[in-house]
Amino acid sequence: QVQLQESGPGVVKPSETLSLTCTVSGGPLTSYYWSWIRQPPGKRLEWIGYIYYRGSTNYNPPLKSRVTMSVDTSKKEFSLRLSSVTAADTAVYYCARGAAEAPLYFDHWGQGSLVTVSS
Amino acid sequence: EIVMTQSPATLSVSPGGRVTLSCRASQSVSSNLAWYQQKPGQAPRLLLYGASTRATGIPARFSGSGSGTEFTLTISSLQSEDFAVYYCQQYNDWPPLTFGGGTKVEIK
């Protein structure tokens, strides 16, 4: 059973960098695309971007200038960094696996990590 | 960016009832549409992809139809565990991948 688990600080100060890591267990990290998706309180899901296990990335254009994703296949982890955060970045952040048939919908999700931007 | 619009925002249904949820795309997404179920405090769960193909382990009471810009998710006989929020997501034209605003199915 594939499981994803997000980890990272629950509170980040405005203008600082949000950092989250997703650890994959029960299945391979290789051969898949891995996405970050967020959900601000009371709002719809927003795709942040994906990273392929080989390291190629694709980001949501409005966030592209602030987002960096990385992957560590030896640790079966991938990470998100979002710089210059504001209150608008407060959200539950999910990591998710792109389906094998097409990496652009998501067949496994983490439980989510609430990140609050506050001084 | 393709905008996904779901209706209604909330649906009140009795257990055992039939439910039809709507998802509309601002431009054609072919059949590149997925549906998810999300319960409070939980991550979304993939129900359907390709507009009508059930994901692994999804009961047959969930079905999907449509192509282009109009899609529906039907739950044939609502069970207690089906009360949740349902989201559609297009993956035809990206970046970005985009989600609808959700339909909440609540107990009548």
Side-chain angles (χ1 to χ4, degrees), chain A residues 39 44 94 104-106 110, chain B residues 36 38 43 49 87 89 94 99:
Chain A
Q39 188 170 34
R44 68 181 63 194
Y94 296 99
L104 304 174
Y105 58 87
F106 312 106
Chain B
Y36 301 87
Q38 186 178 33
Y49 59 92
Y87 294 96
Q89 177 229 327
W94 61 279
F99 293 84

Side-chain angles (χ1 to χ4, degrees), chain A residues 67-86:
Chain A
V67 171
T68 304
M69 294 184 185
S70 59
V71 61
D72 187 333
T73 56
S74 65
K75 294 183 178 179
K76 294 182 69 176
E77 295 178 347
F78 60 103
S79 299
L80 167 71
R81 289 172 58 86
L82 181 66
S83 64
S84 305
V85 298
T86 69

Side-chain angles (χ1 to χ4, degrees), chain A residues 23-93:
Chain A
T23 302
V24 180
S25 60
L29 182 141
T30 54
S31 304
Y32 287 96
Y33 289 78
W34 302 91
S35 279
W36 288 96
I37 297 158
R38 69 181 182 178
Q39 188 170 34
K43 295 189 176 182
R44 68 181 63 194
L45 295 157
E46 179 182 31
W47 176 73
I48 299 170
Y50 71 59
I51 185 164
Y52 190 42
Y53 78 101
R54 290 181 175 173
S56 58
T57 57
N58 199 305
Y59 302 142
N60 192 337
L63 300 172
K64 189 174 183 178
S65 64
R66 299 195 292 130
V67 171
T68 304
M69 294 184 185
S70 59
V71 61
D72 187 333
T73 56
S74 65
K75 294 183 178 179
K76 294 182 69 176
E77 295 178 347
F78 60 103
S79 299
L80 167 71
R81 289 172 58 86
L82 181 66
S83 64
S84 305
V85 298
T86 69
D89 295 309
T90 293
V92 176
Y93 286 76

